[in-house]
Each structure stands twice: as structure tokens, then as C-alpha cells.
Amino acid sequence: MIEARRLHILRAVADHRTVTAAAAALYLTPSAVSQQLTALEQETGHRLVERGAKGVRLTPAGEILLAHTHAVLAQLERAEAELAAYDAGTAGTVTVAAFATGIALVVAPALARLAGTDPGIRIRVQDAEGDASLPMVLDRQVDIAVAVEYRGAPAADDPRLAHVPLYAEPFDAVVPVTHRLAECAEVPLAELAKDPWIGPYPGNPCHDVVVLACEYAGFQPRLEHSSDDFRAVVALASAEAGVALVPRSALRGMDLTGVVVRPVDGVPPTRRVFAAVRRGAEEHPLIRPVLDALEAVTPT
């Protein structure tokens, strides 16, 4: 008989590619993870992982078991959801990980809405970028991630996650008031090819949006200054340190002295925001109202 907790460990090892990283995500020791993998191999009668200089990879038998693992763990999530519904689980805590502007735009309004519609549900919010929040969901550190599409992100049909689309928002060009394009109604990105750029660090989903938009315009941005805080990005632009692309919602309520904000000419670069939960958990009686509230407060 295969134990479900060992399937959790197998999936964590497949996701993180090393025993050490999987152990850290699961709050176990590396030796405990190795022992559980050995026990799983004994249960299945197959070698499931191979260790190499670059980490751990699954064997063909391990890949077969991983595909079934996604279905088994999703079904267990559904079983927990139905049991909670049977017990009329109308009170409890749901943990949401989201990036800063997502917290301001949808998470905080959803929290206020739930206070009136489902007062028994307590929300705990953690600030985390999209590339961090999705692994947190998979590792059961949080229940819901509000994340941004990015290169390498799990696809919408990923068997481990259920996606709920929330909103898409454009990036606007931010240039110093003294910039040669400051008087333009719209900024052609190609005209900024020779400018110094200010933007998020690699790994931040917004970094991908900026770089891809510039690539589509025919150039690689010369990123001279990096910050994941858009207030810092705008402050640097106001000091004439460079130009930037900033999500429109991040500019709300910000001091824009010294800069000009203009829409991008043509099709604007866009970030698409969604909520994600472990597949099978989307109908849990504590999680479903939170997802509904996030959808209800999403701006059009």
C-alpha cells in the first residue's frame, strides 16, 4: 500500500529537484526525505529517483508514479473539501500569498467583503511575488496564491493547480519630465532602445514582462538600476536615472513628481493576474468563498 504522505514527498522532490530543497519546503530533514523515498521505492518495487551532480531526477517509473500522484493528491483535496462541507465548515483560517499591488487591488477588498458575507473565515495574508507564491501553494505553506503569469510558471492546465483568472492590467511608460518623449501622447517602446532602464530583478514576473515587451520592440533593455519596489523605480526615473515600464495599478497614489506617465504605443505590455489553489481544493467550504470574493472585487 502506497502512503499518501510519501507521494507528497515525491512531488516535492520533483518540483524542487534536490532532496535538500524539498526537505526545506516540507519542514523535514534531508535524511527523513531520503528515508521516505527509499520506503516508497520499496512499496512500489521500482527505483523512482536518480541522484546526480546537478540534483535529483525521476526515473521513468518515477515519472509514471508522479502523473498518478497529481490525480491522487487532487482527489484527497476533494475528499477533505467534501468532509469539511459535511461538517458545515463555515469557520477557519485561509492563508493567501500575493504580491504587493495584488494585495492592495484585490486581496484587501476581498477581505473586507468576506467580513460581511463570511465572518467566520479569517484571512492571513503574506506578501510574496508570483514566482514564490505558487511553490508555497504546492508545498502547502499557503492555501491560495494571487500570482502573475511569467515564463516558467505552471500552465493553466497544470494537474497540480486550479487557476481562477482575475484581471489583466497594462504597463505604462514612466520617463523623466525632461525626457525627449515626455510630450508624446503615447510612447513607442522602440524609441527607448538606447535609454538606460530601471526595472525589477530577474525572477520577478514583472521583469519578464518588461524584457519581453522590449524584445518584441526589437531591442534588449539596458537595465542599469534594479528594484522590486515600484516606488523606488519611479523615484529613480524622477532623478533622470532612466526609463521604466510600471504596472498601472502600482502607480495609484504614488508621488509622480518629476516623471511623466504615458501609455505605450500599440499593444501595451500586460500582466495577467490569477488566483491558484491546489487542484481539488477549489470547492473547499473555506476556500471557495475566498475565491468568489476575489472574483467579485476584481476590477474590470
Side-chain angles (χ1 to χ4, degrees), residues 55-81:
V56 176
R57 70 179 185 87
L58 299 189
T59 65
E63 294 287 356
I64 292 172
L65 183 58
L66 180 65
H68 288 284
T69 292
H70 297 325
V72 169
L73 296 183
Q75 191 60 42
L76 287 174
E77 293 281 359
R78 294 186 188 98
E80 290 181 5

Side-chain angles (χ1 to χ4, degrees), residues 50 93 99 124 153 174 176-177 181 208 252 257-258 260-261 275 290 298:
E50 292 180 344
T93 300
F99 56 100
R124 292 180 59 245
V174 177
V177 292
L181 300 180
D208 286 348
R252 294 180 182 177
T257 303
V260 171
V261 177
V290 180
T298 292

